[in-house]
């Protein structure tokens, strides 16, 4: 028979293991992450965890009668140390697209600028910039704006990243240093057919 203290310790151990498993598995989905260090108004050092990707991975380009291609840009904001969600950010997304590496070399300017990333209803710390992916290829994003931290400190952020299957030279040129992991590049829905 277990004593009350032993039962409490066992419960605490199981709960700690479950929390650790959830926090470790969080970055296992098809998104990339960057950590942004900043100083609060009171002089203390903090860091934001900013996760970027698409909804509904893997992404497939729109094709009439087969797939709608709706894959909004998805951004998660959290305190890097406590993992608490951060609401109240004012974020914009510049959107880039290239059919291949040659298109990137020819023109690396955004196709759309300053698209608002609004907060997801009922999901603090989650933001979406709506879009339908029209063609297979390499999609990249620049996320910029202000994050209001818990104490009221306004933290400007500005980073960019291209999908993970883009050529290495393209990623090293386009991605902000420190962006890790990645989100999927968009393929033709017919590429996943089996048998093809």
């Amino acid at each position: 028979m277990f004593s009350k203290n032993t039962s409490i310790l066992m419960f605490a151990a199981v709960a700690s293991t479950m929390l650790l498993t959830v926090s470790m598995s969080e970055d296992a989905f098809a998104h990339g992450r960057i950590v942004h260090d900043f100083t609060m108004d009171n002089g203390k050092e903090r860091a934001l965890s900013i996760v970027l990707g698409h909804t509904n991975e893997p992404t497939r380009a729109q094709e009439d009668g087969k797939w709608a291609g709706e894959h909004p840009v998805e951004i998660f904001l959290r305190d890097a140390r406590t993992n608490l969600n951060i609401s109240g950010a004012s974020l914009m997304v510049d959107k880039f697209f290239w059919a291949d590496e040659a298109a990137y070399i020819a023109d690396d300017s955004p196709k759309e600028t300053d698209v608002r990333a609004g907060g997801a209803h009922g999901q603090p710390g989650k933001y979406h910039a709506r879009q339908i992916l029209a063609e297979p290829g390499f999609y990249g994003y620049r996320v910029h704006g202000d994050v209001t931290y818990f104490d009221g400190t306004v933290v400007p952020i500005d980073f960019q990243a291209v999908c993970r299957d883009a050529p290495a030279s393209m990623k090293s040129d386009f991605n902000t240093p420190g962006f890790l992991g990645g989100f999927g590049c968009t393929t033709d829905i017919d590429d996943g057919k089996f048998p093809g």
Side-chain angles (χ1 to χ4, degrees):
M1 190 91 183
F2 293 112
S3 70
K4 183 177 180 181
N5 288 341
T6 305
S7 296
I8 291 171
L9 287 173
M10 288 178 63
F11 174 77
V14 170
S16 296
T17 302
M18 290 172 66
L19 286 173
L20 183 60
T21 303
V22 168
S23 67
M24 288 174 56
S25 66
E26 176 187 5
D27 292 332
F29 65 120
H31 286 48
R33 178 178 183 245
I34 191 165
V35 174
H36 180 77
D37 297 316
F38 69 97
T39 304
M40 294 168 57
D41 291 339
N42 66 9
K44 293 183 179 179
E45 300 294 322
R46 293 291 185 266
L48 300 175
S49 169
I50 309 167
V51 175
L52 173 68
H54 293 122
T55 61
N56 196 20
E57 292 267 6
T59 57
R60 303 285 187 246
Q62 177 188 36
E63 191 167 337
D64 289 342
K66 294 182 182 178
W67 187 251
E70 188 173 340
H71 297 284
V73 177
E74 189 169 53
I75 304 162
F76 295 93
L77 288 176
R78 295 185 178 102
D79 179 87
R81 186 180 54 163
T82 65
N83 213 29
L84 292 172
N85 297 322
I86 299 174
S87 298
S90 176
L91 301 176
M92 304 297 262
V93 177
D94 296 348
K95 299 178 182 183
F96 299 79
F97 170 77
W98 304 279
D100 53 32
E101 189 173 12
Y104 174 76
I105 293 167
D107 181 13
D108 64 354
S109 59
K111 304 298 182 217
E112 291 184 38
T113 58
D114 296 332
V115 177
R116 183 177 173 274
H121 180 70
Q123 298 179 349
K126 185 176 182 179
Y127 302 83
H128 285 153
R130 303 280 178 208
Q131 68 183 1
I132 293 173
L133 303 180
E135 297 178 36
F138 304 127
Y139 287 80
Y141 305 102
R142 173 183 169 231
V143 178
H144 54 100
D146 294 323
V147 176
T148 303
Y149 194 65
F150 300 115
D151 71 328
T153 300
V154 176
V155 184
I157 62 166
D158 193 340
F159 72 96
Q160 61 186 35
V162 67
C163 58
R164 74 172 165 270
D165 298 325
S169 59
M170 194 171 159
K171 287 191 291 190
S172 65
D173 181 53
F174 187 82
N175 287 3
T176 298
F179 186 81
L180 302 174
F183 50 95
C185 293
T186 302
T187 60
D188 188 316
I189 194 166
D190 290 335
D191 292 345
K193 286 184 176 177
F194 177 81

